[in-house]
Amino acid sequence: LEIGQLTNLQYLNVSFNELWGILPDGPYKNLRHIQQLDVSNNNLSGRYPRRWKHWEQLQVMLLQNNQFTQRQFPSEPYGT
């Protein structure tokens, strides 16, 4: 089972899981019902996945204590 198959997922907490690297857009594209996402306290890097901007039901997103290269969530999709 992959995370992208959990289409009705509302809460995802993977904080303090020693995750590292860049988060790709693909696996998260079907999480349309996500309300709370916590990926804090890992070693994630790069830019925020574009898909996150389009999660209309998202209320809480915790990103702190990672190595993301962005300081703000983009107001427009990348490349526009």
Side-chain angles (χ1 to χ4, degrees):
L1 186 63
E2 294 181 9
I3 198 163
Q5 295 174 310
L6 303 172
T7 56
N8 291 316
L9 186 68
Q10 295 178 341
Y11 306 98
L12 178 61
N13 183 338
V14 291
S15 62
F16 294 99
N17 273 282
E18 298 182 17
L19 301 177
W20 59 274
I22 296 171
L23 290 174
D25 279 324
Y28 308 99
K29 67 182 178 183
N30 294 323
L31 300 181
R32 295 183 184 101
H33 301 287
I34 194 83
Q35 295 176 16
Q36 294 184 11
L37 174 68
D38 185 351
V39 296
S40 64
N41 300 293
N42 286 292
N43 196 25
L44 299 171
S45 60
R47 300 185 80 161
Y48 304 135
R50 293 177 205 155
R51 178 58 55 189
W52 291 1
K53 182 183 182 302
H54 301 288
W55 289 343
E56 295 177 7
Q57 296 183 31
L58 188 65
Q59 298 170 10
V60 176
M61 183 180 340
L62 302 173
L63 305 170
Q64 67 269 19
N65 297 320
N66 282 293
Q67 304 299 318
F68 289 114
T69 56
Q70 289 174 271
R71 296 289 177 230
Q72 283 187 313
F73 201 72
S75 58
E76 295 293 328
Y78 309 158
T80 61

